[in-house]
Amino acid sequence: MFLGGGFLPYVLLVMVPGLVLSLFAAYRVRSTYSKWSKVDSGISMNAFDFARYLLNSQGLTDVKIEPVPGQLTDHYDPRSKVLRVSSAVAAQGAGWAPGYADARPHLSVASVAVIAHEVGHAAQHRSGDPQMALRQLIVPVASIGSTLAPWLVIIGVILKLTGVAVVGLVFFAAAVVFTFVTLPVEFGASRRALAYVEPLGLTGERADGARSVLRAAGWTYVAAALTALLTFLYYVSLVFGSRR
């Protein structure tokens, strides 16, 4: 990986900027989520009932809901039409929590935003959103690009097999395209999410909180896209620099 262009250029051009972007995005999303997970949304439902309510309100009655372990692991799986709610989000609507006025289940602003975002993805899938369709189309190639491509580039550079290295570049380019196609898909789901929750009472400060959570989550995808692009450009310099 470091041959041809040298280790120092890789550190300065890829590792440092990529690490800074990733750390900033991770800090932003976790700190924002933590802040708004302590603020009551005013919605007296548990996470699964709320997800079902939003799905049904959008005509997505065929989408199933399942729990998934972890925090910020919520996602919509278009292949099986399943919306998965993380244990952290589900716990916030499981019953009474300190600071709430009564013992009924309540959801935090952060949980409402996260669930509504995933419902947004389900709605994108149902409507045939072109960006989402494109993302799903390139998933197999992108998966190869993020795992096998770097090794093809390294082998091609070391053994002077330019054709092998170029194949690696093509596969990695697909992974880069995937990260950039993901951006409008994620931002589009966030716009839908805000439209879903505002009529339910998330206005004013609560709406600002939901917007902050979704914006912070969006930064993780921006960071991933920029890091992938920087890595791709470095691989290009390795492959074609090694031919001199």
Side-chain angles (χ1 to χ4, degrees):
M1 182 182 301
F2 309 130
L3 299 176
F7 179 73
L8 185 59
Y10 178 79
V11 170
L12 295 178
L13 298 177
V14 179
M15 284 187 67
V16 171
L19 183 61
V20 170
L21 285 169
S22 298
L23 289 176
F24 171 76
Y27 166 76
R28 182 87 181 275
V29 71
R30 291 193 178 277
S31 61
T32 305
Y33 180 84
S34 177
K35 174 183 176 181
W36 291 101
S37 65
K38 300 178 177 68
V39 178
D40 182 7
S41 68
I43 296 175
S44 299
M45 282 189 259
N46 66 44
F48 297 104
D49 287 344
F50 179 66
R52 183 76 272 159
Y53 170 80
L54 278 189
L55 287 168
N56 290 350
S57 71
Q58 301 305 311
L60 298 164
T61 55
D62 58 333
V63 175
K64 296 179 291 184
I65 304 169
E66 295 177 356
V68 63
Q71 184 180 53
L72 299 175
T73 51
D74 311 79
H75 63 279
Y76 170 70
D77 183 353
R79 294 166 301 179
S80 53
K81 284 190 173 183
V82 173
L83 190 156
R84 296 189 173 95
V85 178
S86 70
S87 55
V89 166
Q92 292 182 28
W96 181 85
Y100 290 149
D102 55 45
R104 292 176 300 170
H106 281 253
L107 282 174
S108 70
V109 168
S111 293
V112 167
V114 169
I115 292 171
H117 178 86
E118 300 310 327
V119 172
H121 281 315
Q124 287 174 323
H125 183 217
R126 191 267 310 273
S127 65
D129 180 84
Q131 281 105 357
M132 189 173 196
L134 176 60
R135 185 173 73 167
Q136 290 304 116
L137 183 65
I138 62 178
V139 162
V141 182
S143 298
I144 296 173
S146 60
T147 55
L148 181 62
W151 294 105
L152 292 176
V153 172
I154 294 168
I155 292 170
V157 170
I158 293 175
L159 301 181
K160 306 292 185 182
L161 299 174
T162 304
V164 173
V166 169
V167 169
L169 286 179
V170 170
F171 277 116
F172 198 82
V176 175
V177 170
F178 176 82
T179 63
F180 278 92
V181 170
T182 293
L183 296 180
V185 175
E186 294 299 327
F187 294 143
S190 291
R191 285 193 296 271
R192 288 173 183 261
L194 291 172
Y196 297 156
V197 300
E198 285 179 355
L200 302 179
L202 256 72
T203 57
E205 182 184 11
R206 287 169 171 167
D208 291 340
R211 194 173 292 107
S212 295
V213 170
L214 296 171
R215 189 181 298 120
W219 265 103
T220 62
Y221 296 100
V222 172
L226 293 177
T227 300
L229 178 60
L230 288 172
T231 304
F232 175 72
L233 293 176
Y234 180 74
Y235 286 161
V236 170
S237 72
L238 274 184
V239 172
F240 295 101
S242 66
R243 297 176 61 189
R244 296 173 185 171

